[in-house]
Amino acid sequence: MNRSATTCSAKQQEKLYAKTQQAKQAAEEADRIYSQNVSVLGKMREEWLNEHVKACEFFEKQEVERINTLRNIVWTHLNHLSQQCVSSDEIYEEVRKSLEQCNIQEDIEHFVNLRRTGDKPPAPIPYENFYNNQRSGVVRSLPPPRRAAAPPPPAAGNDPLYSTVAEPGYSILRY
């Protein structure tokens, strides 16, 4: 406006002055709105910071509770496992004590005395001709079981303790 004052007419100067005033008012209004917006933004920023701090404190509290709960669960589980190991070790020790008292020869003799069926093994089965017509009247039967307290026979070829087919009373055939 100052540059144009010397070259413009009075009417044009008034117009320029009005535009200048209008521009000043618009600038002042824009500055006022900008100041209000900065103030509102500051309040919103403080509110956001407060909410952010509250959220962080809440999440921290939740994480502390989670870690504490997890720690307690793992601690309890490990105590149970430890107790189980102690119980297992006590049982293992009982088994070790039983094994220390084990006598192999006595155990074998006890088993033989408890489960033996007799002194003599069964005789070999003789051949029978099933196509022969002279088979009538032949009945098969097993000899009565015999219990004996003698030790098992030695492993020898022709030991008299073993039964044979020719031995009287041993045959499974009855006539």
Side-chain angles (χ1 to χ4, degrees), residues 31-94:
D31 187 53
R32 186 184 61 75
I33 291 173
Y34 172 70
S35 175
Q36 282 180 342
N37 287 341
V38 168
S39 175
V40 168
L41 179 64
K43 289 177 185 176
M44 291 178 77
R45 184 180 169 278
E46 284 181 32
E47 186 178 319
W48 178 84
L49 281 174
N50 290 336
E51 289 295 319
H52 183 72
V53 168
K54 286 179 186 178
C56 288
E57 289 171 352
F58 178 76
F59 293 146
E60 181 181 0
K61 182 181 175 185
Q62 277 188 324
E63 192 65 14
V64 167
E65 289 176 6
R66 185 192 68 81
I67 291 172
N68 190 35
T69 301
L70 181 64
R71 178 196 169 276
N72 289 338
I73 289 171
V74 171
W75 189 277
T76 303
H77 179 68
L78 292 176
N79 282 341
H80 287 137
L81 289 177
S82 179
Q83 184 60 38
Q84 182 61 40
C85 288
V86 169
S87 299
S88 295
D89 192 46
E90 290 171 357
I91 292 170
Y92 299 154
E93 189 59 33
E94 288 179 26

Side-chain angles (χ1 to χ4, degrees), residues 90-150:
E90 290 171 357
I91 292 170
Y92 299 154
E93 189 59 33
E94 288 179 26
V95 172
R96 283 188 204 102
K97 287 178 182 178
S98 295
L99 291 175
E100 286 174 354
Q101 297 173 3
C102 177
N103 184 332
I104 297 171
Q105 192 60 37
E106 285 180 13
D107 287 348
I108 290 174
E109 288 174 10
H110 176 72
F111 178 80
V112 167
N113 289 334
L114 187 65
R115 302 288 182 199
R116 76 171 134 200
T117 58
D119 292 347
K120 297 180 182 181
I125 298 173
Y127 171 77
E128 294 182 37
N129 187 348
F130 290 100
Y131 298 103
N132 190 349
N133 290 334
Q134 299 174 357
R135 275 186 2 135
S136 61
V138 175
V139 178
R140 293 178 180 254
S141 67
L142 296 175
R146 299 191 324 180
R147 296 264 179 189

Side-chain angles (χ1 to χ4, degrees), residues 157-168:
N158 291 334
D159 193 326
L161 295 176
Y162 283 90
S163 65
T164 63
V165 177
E167 187 176 355

